[in-house]
């Protein structure tokens, strides 16, 4: 007997979604409650795509001015999907004029995928690579730049400013600030990829940021703040080794210090990058960026439940 449509729409996704799309190579992933599906970006094509539970994909947003999309988040309250965009030189639209020079935040209509705003974040001398971002309750976005010493703020009207600038945010090898989350108590948590340092950045006084005391470094770093208050950190060392790991951290002092309370290492899929919280659990993305960087792109990617 066929399953009723209403019941089918409530069915949980499988524990592992084996995705397939022509050389998509997603880095970022988000849960879309309006479709009960995942959305992913594309380091190869600069798109945002819908991923169904059977792993099939459909393009939602395809803005030709964007080289590639990294972090992706859904703001369902405002009918928006947002994506950080940049160019590492491996996209089909990469040019000498855009490699590590294009950096910004794209804002699309969640229902149609139509471009609402492209917010330029290549502020000051380069290079620039907008990486990930967090959205607060009011809809403001906070965007990391992996190759500069800045974190940006973009308001709901698309106006950009520098939230905080410091040498401590910069990496000498160009793998600086990466994952970032907004905490409802009024601060950001952000990780520096190369050093494994987690920073606590108060929004009222962002220049007064401090390093969170950890039991070991979080090298790599996609961050997800889960509904139970724990922080999931997805780690990899792209270009150094293929294995990755997931760690769960908890705090007792408002994220001035944190302790690892769970770990999965090595992760089942090579080079995991970040994760998304869904009503059915937290799903970790592996878009096989290692193969793309090596010049052997693939059509396969994985979303795996933690």
């Amino acid at each position: 007997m066929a399953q009723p449509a209403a019941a089918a729409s409530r069915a949980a996704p499988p524990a592992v979604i084996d995705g397939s799309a022509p050389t998509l190579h997603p880095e970022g992933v988000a849960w879309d409650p309006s479709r009960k599906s995942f959305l992913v970006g594309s380091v190869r094509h600069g798109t945002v795509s819908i991923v169904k539970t059977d792993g099939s994909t459909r393009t939602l947003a395809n803005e030709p001015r964007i080289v590639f999309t990294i972090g992706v988040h859904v703001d369902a309250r405002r009918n928006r999907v947002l994506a950080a965009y940049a160019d590492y030189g491996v996209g089909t639209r990469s040019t000498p004029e855009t490699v590590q020079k294009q950096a910004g935040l794209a804002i699309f209509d969640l229902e149609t995928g139509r471009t609402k705003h492209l917010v330029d974040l290549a502020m000051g001398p380069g290079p620039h690579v907008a990486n990930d971002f967090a959205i607060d309750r009011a809809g403001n976005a906070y965007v990391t730049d992996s190759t500069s010493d800045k974190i940006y703020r973009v308001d709901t009207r698309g106006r950009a400013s520098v939230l905080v600038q410091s040498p401590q945010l910069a990496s000498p090898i160009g793998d600086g600030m990466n994952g970032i989350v907004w905490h409802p108590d009024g601060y950001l948590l952000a990780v520096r990829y190369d050093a494994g340092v987690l920073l606590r950045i108060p929004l009222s006084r962002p220049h007064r940021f401090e390093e969170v005391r950890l039991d070991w470094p979080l090298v790599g770093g996609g961050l997800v703040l889960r509904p139970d208050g724990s922080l999931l950190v997805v780690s990899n060392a792209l270009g150094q080794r293929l294995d990755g790991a997931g760690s769960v951290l908890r705090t007792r002092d408002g994220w001035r210090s944190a302790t690892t309370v769970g770990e999965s290492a090595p992760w089942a899929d090579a080079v995991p990058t970040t994760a998304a919280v869904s009503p059915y659990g937290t799903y970790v993305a592996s878009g096989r960026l290692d193969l793309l960087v090596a010049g052997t792109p693939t059509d396969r990617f994985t979303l795996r439940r933690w």
Side-chain angles (χ1 to χ4, degrees):
M1 178 181 295
Q3 189 177 22
S9 68
R10 293 193 297 270
V16 180
I17 299 174
D18 291 313
S20 178
T23 62
L24 194 67
H25 291 283
E27 196 273 358
V29 59
W31 174 254
D32 178 3
S34 68
R35 293 181 173 88
K36 296 181 173 59
S37 300
F38 290 97
L39 302 182
V40 297
S42 174
V43 173
R44 183 67 171 161
H45 302 297
T47 54
V48 175
S49 297
I50 302 164
V51 182
K52 297 181 179 180
T53 57
D54 64 0
S56 62
T57 67
R58 177 174 66 84
T59 301
L60 173 64
N62 186 5
E63 168 53 64
R65 290 170 289 180
I66 292 175
V67 176
F68 76 65
T69 45
I70 316 180
V72 177
H73 293 282
V74 170
D75 182 6
R77 180 179 177 184
R78 298 168 184 84
N79 192 40
R80 306 186 302 168
V81 55
L82 300 87
Y85 64 87
D87 184 7
Y88 263 130
V90 293
T92 57
R93 299 167 178 161
S94 294
T95 68
E97 291 72 37
T98 57
V99 174
Q100 294 197 15
K101 297 173 185 175
Q102 181 182 93
L105 184 69
I107 304 171
F108 304 107
D109 184 280
L110 179 59
E111 182 179 356
T112 66
R114 178 182 60 85
T115 303
K116 290 186 171 183
H117 298 287
L118 292 183
V119 183
D120 184 15
L121 296 177
M123 297 184 182
H128 293 283
V129 175
N131 191 306
D132 196 10
F133 60 97
I135 303 175
D136 68 17
R137 187 178 290 114
N140 302 301
Y142 304 93
V143 189
T144 58
D145 186 334
S146 295
T147 55
S148 84
D149 58 356
K150 303 177 184 70
I151 294 176
Y152 308 103
R153 178 183 184 272
V154 178
D155 68 16
T156 55
R157 297 177 63 183
R159 297 176 298 189
S161 58
V162 175
L163 176 75
V164 60
Q165 182 174 8
S166 169
Q168 290 175 257
L169 306 181
S171 164
I173 60 173
D175 289 324
M177 300 308 298
N178 194 299
I180 186 169
V181 295
W182 171 77
H183 195 284
D185 287 344
Y187 51 87
L188 304 170
L189 297 172
V191 67
R192 202 177 110 182
Y193 184 97
D194 62 332
V197 172
L198 184 66
L199 300 178
R200 184 185 189 275
I201 306 168
L203 290 174
S204 59
R205 292 181 291 179
H207 62 285
R208 299 282 298 272
F209 66 86
E210 56 186 332
E211 185 176 332
V212 178
R213 298 187 301 276
L214 303 172
D215 42 11
W216 63 58
L218 303 172
V219 176
L223 303 182
V224 178
L225 191 63
R226 304 200 298 180
D228 66 359
S230 64
L231 185 72
L232 175 63
V233 184
V234 179
S235 301
N236 66 64
L238 183 61
Q240 301 175 41
R241 54 187 172 86
L242 294 184
D243 61 313
S247 303
V248 178
L249 276 63
R250 288 192 178 275
T251 185
R252 294 183 176 180
D253 57 6
W255 292 103
R256 289 173 175 81
S257 66
T259 303
T260 303
V261 296
E263 185 180 21
S264 179
W267 188 245
D269 309 300
V271 193
T273 48
T274 190
V277 173
S278 82
Y280 311 103
T282 304
Y283 279 75
V284 178
S286 171
R288 295 311 306 260
L289 301 187
D290 56 306
L291 297 180
L292 179 61
V293 171
T296 56
T298 179
D299 296 342
R300 311 298 299 183
F301 64 94
T302 305
L303 304 178
R304 183 180 299 270
R305 189 162 59 217
W306 172 267

